Amino acid sequence: MNKKNKLSKIIKIFSIFMLIIGLVLPLITYANNSTTQTYTLSTENEWIRTQDAYLVSGILFQSYDLNKPEDICIRNDKLYIADTGNSRIVIYDRSNGAIKTIGQGILKSPTGVFVNEKEDIYVADYGLEKVFIFDKNGIKINEFKRPESILFGKYNSFKPRKVASDKRGNIYIVSEGSFDGIIQLNRTGEFLGYFGANKVAISFIQVLQDLFFTEQQKSQLFYRIPRPYYNITIDKKGLIYTITQQEKGNSVKKHNTLGNNILYLSKSNEMADEENFVDIDVGRYGQIYTITETGLIYEYDENGSLLFSFGGRAIATERNGLITVASGIAVDENDNVFVLDKERGIVHVYYPTQYANLIHSALSLFLQGKYKESKKLWEEVLRLNSVSKVAHNGLGKAYFQEGNYELAAFHFKIAGNRKEYSEAYWELRNNFLQRNMLVIVLVLICLYLLIKIYKILLFKGVIKRKFVLRERLKKAKVIDDLLYLKNLIKHPIDSFYYIKKGEKTSIISASIIYILFIIVFALDYAFRGFIFSSDIKQKTPSYILILTTLPLTLWVFSNYLVSSINDGEGKLKHIYISTAYSLAPYILFQPFVVLLTYVLTINEQFIINFSSQIFVVWSGIIMFIATKEIHDYNIRNTIKTILLSLFWIVVIVITGSIIYMLWDQVIGFVYSIFKEVIYRVY
């Protein structure tokens, strides 16, 4: 009996154990497949967690000896890996699992590999400073060393790191230290020139150096050179894609035939990218895949809008799908992603989920011109993720192609896509004008006739003007001083003469004008129409207040100090008032520019920019006249005073920053001592 009870207990325990294993094992399997989390950008341009776009399907070359591999390429279901440490190219046939190698005894340090449609294999060998071409059987066809052309440059280095080739057989080489762009050779190795050099970013300090330094001083500075490209690939259409490190917001480029970047969105809608991308590839629908050295994978659509971000770095433990040090990425015709882990010598494989396939299908239908079908898929994506930026973008494009510009503009605005919104708005505005042009013209004619009739009746004495309100306003000193802005616009020199004599204006009216300036600046800075607004998040009242009052305060104070030393006649009161009234053009006319931002489109942006610049320059000219008249200077002394005032503003800002940093350290030091005392006492 005891034996039977023991046996039944053992059976029950075993059954419970197997049940637990049955429940937990699928969870463990799912966890292994979900080591990476997927993120995307919301409609508020913030990172959000979304449904898994890719899951880990396996690891390749786990039992194969890859040594510090640097690059990976896929063509016709074959993986090509630049096995740098072993001086060879490894070819893996996914259809049958066969592995073969080529280049032994020829290659030294292959760091880049590319395969064209004929399956010719292009290899960039950094160690030998050559580019090799092999056929699909591994037989060497050709090799190219440093071009001997005079156009290449006598001192330019030739250290190939990455390579690609187009349908015509032209070869594009990313060479270490090549700041002039991508080296371009024809099929015979003749140097054709440099392709698509990066632009040099010039800082404010460098602008000042160009203005004030002599040629001898400039020659002693470091030579300004553009950043070199880091990696390259070519899509089926022959478009070239490149990676440039340390260029946030502009690290990924899609080049046209002239080498210009056609992927750049706008300053207010820059690409979501990283500064340490190491490789790039293109999917079947034009999607752009990039990867950072830390294993973070970004997928964009063909226009550079982010679809997903997934992957990551293996820090504590080695897990499938988490990368130690990434060096390459490749994508096959089924959107499977292959990531080369340089440190571990393996390839991580990711497969797309139903959610990713849904978005890819929507992209595919749109590219085929099937806008109605793609619209249904984008609506399904929005059902799964209501704040998906890419879904709203896709839906907006579908509605736009259908001619439903109102809904297109609605979705583009949610997605923050100003360029596409502008095009939809242009169509809406055009339709409105076509429908109502007759009414608009009639209204304008009626207004013109009414004004003409009023003037005629006024001239003949049929009606009389009533100045009661105007006279009452003029009796109020503050109102009269504020209305003096109009006179200052017309006659600035005479106006500042009366300000200096104290016959016009006051500190109260100047203070009100400063308040008006802050209000107008706030409207211009934070309340422009959507097309011309910015994504700057520092739009709080306190930030705007500091942005307006601090420069003006420093100007008034610095100008008073400098003019006191240089025998200026203006008092602090005069400088305070004249500075306020110098802002008249900006205060009076910039609100109309803000109103125009709700009417115009991106194609008419020059009107907004030109108008704003005119009013700012106009205010600057009046401020120059104010400085001259208030202090009774000649033009030379006026320029000298303004430059010295600006110099003292810079000195005050730098001094204030140093004091703030030192004071912050003092407070931290005192606080640490206080904590130590409290700790020892108690």
Side-chain angles (χ1 to χ4, degrees):
M1 191 72 180
N2 291 333
K3 289 183 178 180
K4 288 183 178 180
N5 289 336
K6 287 182 179 179
L7 182 62
S8 62
K9 284 182 180 180
I10 291 171
I11 293 172
K12 286 180 180 179
I13 292 170
F14 181 77
S15 300
I16 293 170
F17 177 75
M18 292 302 296
L19 179 63
I20 292 171
I21 291 294
L23 292 172
V24 173
L25 188 60
L27 296 176
I28 295 173
T29 304
Y30 178 78
N32 286 335
N33 286 340
S34 304
T35 53
T36 66
Q37 295 182 339
T38 303
Y39 292 86
T40 189
L41 287 175
S42 71
T43 53
E44 299 297 324
N45 220 33
E46 295 177 347
W47 289 100
I48 57 169
R49 177 82 166 86
T50 187
Q51 289 88 342
D52 287 331
Y54 290 84
L55 297 176
V56 182
S57 65
I59 300 291
L60 300 178
F61 299 99
Q62 206 160 10
S63 59
Y64 195 80
D65 185 24
L66 293 178
N67 186 8
K68 305 297 181 184
E70 289 278 355
D71 202 10
I72 186 171
C73 178
I74 189 167
R75 176 74 68 177
N76 298 334
D77 215 26
K78 294 179 182 177
L79 283 177
Y80 299 81
I81 297 173
D83 192 4
T84 309
N86 290 321
S87 305
R88 62 187 180 180
I89 300 297
V90 176
I91 304 173
Y92 171 69
D93 193 333
R94 295 176 61 209
S95 61
N96 55 25
I99 297 177
K100 72 174 184 177
T101 60
I102 65 170
Q104 294 96 325
I106 300 174
L107 302 174
K108 181 180 180 181
S109 299
T111 53
V113 60
F114 180 85
V115 182
N116 65 12
E117 293 179 348
K118 298 178 182 178
E119 292 192 33
D120 291 333
I121 305 165
Y122 293 76
V123 181
D125 194 308
Y126 179 79
L128 295 176
E129 299 184 0
K130 291 181 180 180
V131 170
F132 294 90
I133 304 177
F134 300 89
D135 66 11
K136 61 182 179 181
N137 297 314
I139 300 172
K140 188 180 79 170
I141 300 174
N142 214 333
E143 65 176 69
F144 305 116
K145 57 182 180 179
R146 187 183 188 279
E148 297 178 356
S149 171
I150 299 174
L151 298 175
F152 181 75
K154 184 177 180 180
Y155 300 104
N156 288 357
S157 63
F158 186 75
K159 295 181 177 296
R161 292 204 65 90
K162 307 296 176 183
V163 65
S165 177
D166 61 19
K167 294 180 180 179
R168 295 171 297 176
N170 293 329
I171 305 168
Y172 299 86
I173 303 166
V174 173
S175 174
E176 185 178 275
S178 180
F179 306 105
D180 296 312
I182 300 165
I183 298 170
Q184 187 178 3
L185 310 178
N186 65 11
R187 62 175 67 242
T188 62
E190 181 183 351
F191 179 66
L192 299 178
Y194 291 98
F195 181 85
N198 278 319
K199 296 180 180 179
V200 181
I202 301 177
S203 65
F204 177 71
I205 298 297
Q206 291 172 330
V207 172
L208 293 179
Q209 289 172 348
D210 288 339
L211 287 174
F212 299 108
F213 280 25
T214 64
E215 293 299 325
Q216 184 178 359
Q217 289 172 324
K218 290 178 185 178
S219 64
Q220 294 175 358
L221 298 172
F222 289 108
Y223 184 64
R224 296 173 194 165
I225 52 177
R227 296 189 184 279
Y229 290 111
Y230 192 85
N231 215 324
I232 186 174
T233 193
I234 297 179
D235 67 6
K236 295 177 180 178
K237 299 177 183 178
L239 293 174
I240 296 173
Y241 299 74
T242 59
I243 290 293
T244 307
Q245 292 194 336
Q246 305 302 317
E247 281 205 1
K248 183 66 176 174
N250 197 30
S251 61
V252 181
K253 294 181 180 67
K254 180 179 180 180
H255 302 267
N256 59 16
T257 53
L258 298 175
N260 298 323
N261 182 21
I262 58 176
L263 202 61
Y264 182 71
L265 302 178
S266 68
K267 287 187 177 180
S268 61
N269 193 25
E270 289 182 342
M271 284 188 67
D273 60 5
E274 298 289 340
E275 295 184 352
N276 64 331
F277 282 145
V278 293
D279 199 9
I280 184 170
D281 201 10
V282 183
R284 54 178 168 168
Y285 307 126
Q287 320 103 288
I288 304 168
Y289 293 81
T290 59
I291 187 167
T292 67
E293 190 177 35
T294 54
L296 198 58
I297 303 166
Y298 282 52
E299 181 185 351
Y300 306 91
D301 68 9
E302 63 172 356
N303 297 314
S305 297
L306 183 73
L307 299 178
F308 316 112
S309 174
F310 62 98
R313 189 166 210 165
I315 300 175
T317 57
E318 294 182 352
R319 299 178 64 184
N320 294 351
L322 295 180
I323 319 298
T324 308
V325 177
S327 59
I329 188 170
V331 185
D332 68 7
E333 289 298 319
N334 297 315
D335 298 326
N336 294 309
V337 179
F338 301 82
V339 174
L340 187 60
D341 194 326
K342 176 181 177 180
E343 186 70 23
R344 295 169 61 186
I346 58 174
V347 175
H348 300 261
V349 186
Y350 307 82
Y351 68 91
T353 63
Q354 186 176 359
Y355 179 66
N357 286 329
L358 183 65
I359 293 179
H360 291 162
S361 298
L363 290 172
S364 173
L365 289 171
F366 185 85
L367 290 175
Q368 295 174 43
K370 299 177 180 179
Y371 308 119
K372 188 176 181 179
E373 291 85 346
S374 71
K375 186 177 71 174
K376 293 178 181 179
L377 294 183
W378 288 125
E379 287 172 345
E380 179 63 19
V381 174
L382 278 182
R383 189 185 67 80
L384 297 173
N385 184 0
S386 60
V387 293
S388 171
K389 190 174 182 179
V390 66
H392 280 290
N393 252 327
L395 204 54
K397 290 176 182 178
Y399 278 121
F400 186 88
Q401 295 299 331
E402 282 185 354
N404 193 337
Y405 303 118
E406 189 171 351
L407 280 176
F410 172 77
H411 286 285
F412 285 140
K413 189 171 185 178
I414 293 176
N417 189 338
R418 290 172 177 78
K419 183 180 178 182
E420 304 284 357
Y421 175 87
S422 176
E423 293 179 6
Y425 172 75
W426 187 91
E427 296 289 349
L428 290 171
R429 189 184 68 179
N430 190 43
N431 292 339
F432 174 81
L433 291 175
Q434 288 178 353
R435 291 194 308 267
N436 301 283
M437 183 56 70
L438 181 61
V439 176
I440 293 170
V441 171
L442 289 174
V443 169
L444 291 175
I445 292 173
C446 289
L447 286 174
Y448 175 77
L449 292 175
L450 286 173
I451 293 171
K452 291 293 288 184
I453 292 169
Y454 172 77
K455 287 183 177 180
I456 292 170
L457 294 175
L458 191 66
F459 177 75
K460 292 185 176 182
V462 177
I463 58 174
K464 295 182 179 181
R465 286 182 179 175
K466 293 184 178 181
F467 298 100
V468 178
L469 180 59
R470 182 181 293 182
E471 292 300 325
R472 286 182 179 178
L473 289 174
K474 280 191 173 183
K475 286 180 181 179
K477 179 79 168 54
V478 175
I479 301 298
D480 188 49
D481 289 340
L482 290 174
L483 294 174
Y484 195 66
L485 281 171
K486 182 180 177 182
N487 190 71
L488 189 138
I489 291 289
K490 294 180 179 179
H491 310 288
I493 296 176
D494 295 338
S495 299
F496 286 120
Y497 172 79
Y498 290 114
I499 289 174
K500 185 178 178 181
K501 293 296 182 181
E503 297 179 13
K504 293 290 184 180
T505 72
S506 64
I507 291 178
I508 295 174
S509 64
S511 301
I512 294 173
I513 290 172
Y514 280 122
I515 294 171
L516 291 174
F517 169 73
I518 294 170
I519 293 171
V520 172
F521 182 86
L523 290 173
D524 190 27
Y525 182 78
F527 295 98
R528 284 191 172 197
F530 171 70
I531 295 174
F532 298 97
S533 64
S534 64
D535 288 327
I536 300 173
K537 296 183 178 180
Q538 292 90 346
K539 294 183 179 180
T540 59
S542 58
Y543 181 80
I544 293 173
L545 194 63
I546 293 171
L547 207 60
T548 51
T549 57
L550 185 60
L552 291 173
T553 303
L554 290 174
W555 165 259
V556 171
F557 181 69
S558 299
N559 189 265
Y560 175 70
L561 289 178
V562 173
S563 62
S564 298
I565 298 171
N566 291 336
D567 299 325
E569 295 181 3
K571 298 179 182 179
L572 182 61
K573 171 186 174 181
H574 298 146
I575 299 172
Y576 179 80
I577 295 172
S578 63
T579 299
Y581 277 81
S582 298
L583 303 171
Y586 182 84
I587 294 170
L588 293 175
F589 301 115
Q590 193 63 22
F592 295 101
V593 176
V594 176
L595 289 175
L596 282 176
T597 62
Y598 289 87
V599 179
L600 302 181
T601 65
I602 285 179
N603 294 330
E604 297 138 351
Q605 187 174 8
F606 73 95
I607 298 174
I608 302 296
N609 296 338
F610 184 67
S611 300
S612 296
Q613 289 168 4
I614 283 178
F615 301 139
V616 171
V617 171
W618 192 356
S619 294
I621 292 171
I622 293 179
M623 191 169 289
F624 180 88
I625 295 171
T627 304
K628 181 179 180 298
E629 296 301 320
I630 291 297
H631 297 301
D632 194 22
Y633 285 150
N634 56 28
I635 293 178
R636 180 180 179 182
N637 285 334
T638 303
I639 295 173
K640 178 182 176 182
T641 300
I642 290 173
L643 291 176
L644 286 173
S645 299
L646 294 174
F647 171 76
W648 276 108
I649 289 174
V650 174
V651 170
I652 292 170
V653 170
I654 294 173
T655 304
S657 301
I658 293 172
I659 292 173
Y660 174 79
M661 288 186 291
L662 291 175
W663 182 249
D664 188 53
Q665 291 180 357
V666 169
I667 292 175
F669 177 70
V670 172
Y671 180 69
S672 62
I673 293 175
F674 177 75
K675 285 179 66 177
E676 183 69 20
V677 171
I678 295 296
Y679 174 76
R680 292 187 179 276
V681 170
Y682 293 99

